[in-house]
Amino acid sequence: MLTGIFLTVYYVPSPDHAYDSVQYIMTDVAFGWLIRGIHHWGASLMVIFVCIHMLRTFFMAAYKYPREITWLTGVFLLLATLGMGFTGYLLPWNQRAYWATTVGTEIAGTVPLIGDFILRVLRGGFALSGVTLARFFAAHIWFLPALITLLISVHIYLVIRLGISAIPEKDT
Ligand code: HEM
């Protein structure tokens, strides 16, 4: 979050300037390469840690009564974390970002019946454009962080309220 806030100082979310602003951060801004590097690797680590955390709660059966809602808020946290990765990937506005998002949104568009609708909502039209970049930027810095903050608050509240689950024991 902190490195993301620093990145927004120089990043410009427009098709004309996004790519150049990232190059500027990497070459001209003092420690820009470090801030972007921590943001990039931190994002990958976050996905890995969320998966490890989910596996540990699954294998320790911590999802069972009375922690079903903790698990459910966790599922949404997982989706929101992946959403952060998906929306952030487009922001450098380079070839890889453009085509990865073209493919990703195309896949979302194959959902039966509402696929076209999802595709248009994600891209802001049928084609991937500056509107898509603006949407992904808004989702990446406002909508998803707000959702994640809310979900983490409920998640942690439930953990404090219910206590950490005991390690399951074998029935004898
Ligand atoms: C941004 C993502 C997440 C954050 C920051 C987060 C944070 C936490 C923290 C600090 C705890 C208490 C310590 C612990 O038990 O390890 C906890 C517990 C728990 N989390 Fe998460 N979590 C996240 C995602 C998830 C996901 C993806 C799931 C599962 C789908 C999940 C399910 C649970 C459960 C069931 C507990 C209760 C564990 C127990 O009582 O033993 N969480 N979470």
Side-chain angles (χ1 to χ4, degrees):
M1 222 178 213
L2 198 65
T3 51
I5 291 170
F6 283 128
L7 286 174
T8 62
V9 175
Y10 289 101
Y11 177 76
V12 183
S14 84
D16 293 349
H17 297 109
Y19 181 82
D20 289 337
S21 66
V22 173
Q23 296 313 305
Y24 186 72
I25 289 170
M26 292 302 280
T27 52
D28 288 297
V29 177
F31 298 108
W33 57 273
L34 184 62
I35 298 291
R36 185 173 176 226
I38 295 173
H39 197 74
H40 178 98
W41 291 106
S44 304
L45 277 179
M46 179 157 166
V47 173
I48 293 170
F49 280 129
V50 168
C51 290
I52 292 174
H53 172 63
M54 184 173 68
L55 287 175
R56 104 98 184 124
T57 51
F58 177 75
F59 285 119
M60 291 180 79
Y63 55 85
K64 289 185 182 175
Y65 174 85
R67 296 184 178 78
E68 298 95 326
I69 305 296
T70 317
W71 175 267
L72 265 184
T73 53
V75 170
F76 288 112
L77 276 169
L78 174 69
L79 293 175
T81 305
L82 296 177
M84 285 297 281
F86 185 56
T87 51
Y89 207 81
L90 179 66
L91 303 186
W93 204 242
N94 52 24
Q95 287 290 323
R96 200 170 51 175
Y98 185 91
W99 293 108
T101 307
T102 301
V103 173
T105 47
E106 201 83 47
I107 292 170
T110 60
V111 172
L113 301 175
I114 53 164
D116 263 2
F117 173 74
I118 296 177
L119 184 103
R120 270 188 297 139
V121 169
L122 285 175
R123 289 188 181 171
F126 276 111
L128 204 143
S129 66
V131 181
T132 322
L133 181 61
R135 251 166 218 222
F136 274 44
F137 182 67
H140 193 75
I141 72 156
W142 295 121
F143 293 96
L144 289 173
L147 180 69
I148 289 176
T149 306
L150 187 80
L151 286 169
I152 289 183
S153 309
V154 178
H155 201 70
I156 302 295
Y157 168 77
L158 289 172
V159 170
I160 292 170
R161 181 151 183 178
L162 301 170
I164 296 284
S165 62
I167 299 174
E169 283 170 24
K170 240 196 216 165
D171 285 336
T172 43

